Amino acid sequence: ANAGVTGPATVIIQGLGIGMISCVFPVLIIVGTILICNALEGQYGVATAAVGMLSTIGINVASDSYGAISDNAGGIAEMAGLDKRVRDITDQLDALGNTTAATGKGFAIGSAVLTALSLLAAFEDKAQVDSVDISDPVVLSGMLIGSMLPYLFFCVDHAFSPKGCPCNHDGSLAPVP
């Protein structure tokens, strides 16, 4: 709410920052998983973790479709002219469906990273290629963390820093010291 004092631009910047910082924790989890599995069992450990995550794909697809089904139910209730109470219930179910869909997508992305690393390692082994360094879990982990850092720096600099948008209580911009 404080970001909206100076207008919509600062709200957009803060929203971007919050969205961007949301990638930090999942990337750290994926990197930790890759490094731990590699330390325990090498490439086989990473592949086993990928298969373990992919084994729940049926549940992920079902939870992803829940939001669309409840949204359609809300549309049908609205077009049929049912009570407002029915629409309120379907809106709550739709919100829950959106949350489960977002969770499922993050899980799918994590398993895709592990699967891609395993497939790349298998290709490197079969083709007897030694120059593909990205199959090294430590290199891939560093790449993931490196690609996440601009998002983190943006949020720290723009979204969460009071100097990113210094403003007075009357909404006028204060000079940046």
Side-chain angles (χ1 to χ4, degrees):
N2 291 336
V5 172
T6 58
T10 52
V11 174
I12 291 170
I13 290 172
Q14 187 174 25
L16 281 171
I18 291 170
M20 288 181 175
I21 202 162
S22 69
C23 78
V24 173
F25 188 66
V27 166
L28 293 178
I29 294 286
I30 291 170
V31 166
T33 302
I34 290 171
L35 293 176
I36 289 170
C37 291
N38 185 58
L40 293 175
E41 291 295 324
Q43 292 292 344
Y44 179 74
V46 176
T48 304
V51 169
M53 289 183 77
L54 289 173
S55 68
T56 62
I57 197 71
I59 295 169
N60 287 336
V61 170
S63 68
D64 196 21
S65 64
Y66 178 81
I69 292 169
S70 59
D71 186 40
N72 288 343
I76 292 169
E78 188 174 340
M79 288 187 289
L82 298 177
D83 291 341
K84 184 181 180 320
R85 180 178 57 87
V86 174
R87 186 63 185 164
D88 290 341
I89 292 171
T90 57
D91 285 346
Q92 290 175 358
L93 292 174
D94 186 33
L96 176 66
N98 292 337
T99 303
T100 57
T103 304
K105 284 175 181 41
F107 197 80
I109 291 168
S111 64
V113 169
L114 294 176
T115 303
L117 178 61
S118 299
L119 288 173
L120 192 57
F123 169 77
E124 184 182 49
D125 185 48
K126 277 292 190 194
Q128 297 176 350
V129 177
D130 294 330
S131 63
V132 182
D133 292 331
I134 192 132
S135 67
D136 182 13
V138 176
V139 172
L140 180 67
S141 298
M143 213 171 82
L144 288 171
I145 288 177
S147 62
M148 179 247 340
L149 287 178
Y151 291 92
L152 180 65
F153 293 155
F154 175 87
C155 347
V156 169
D157 187 40
H158 290 80
F160 300 124
S161 171
K163 290 183 180 180
C165 179
C167 51
N168 296 324
H169 292 291
D170 62 355
S172 63
L173 291 176
V176 179

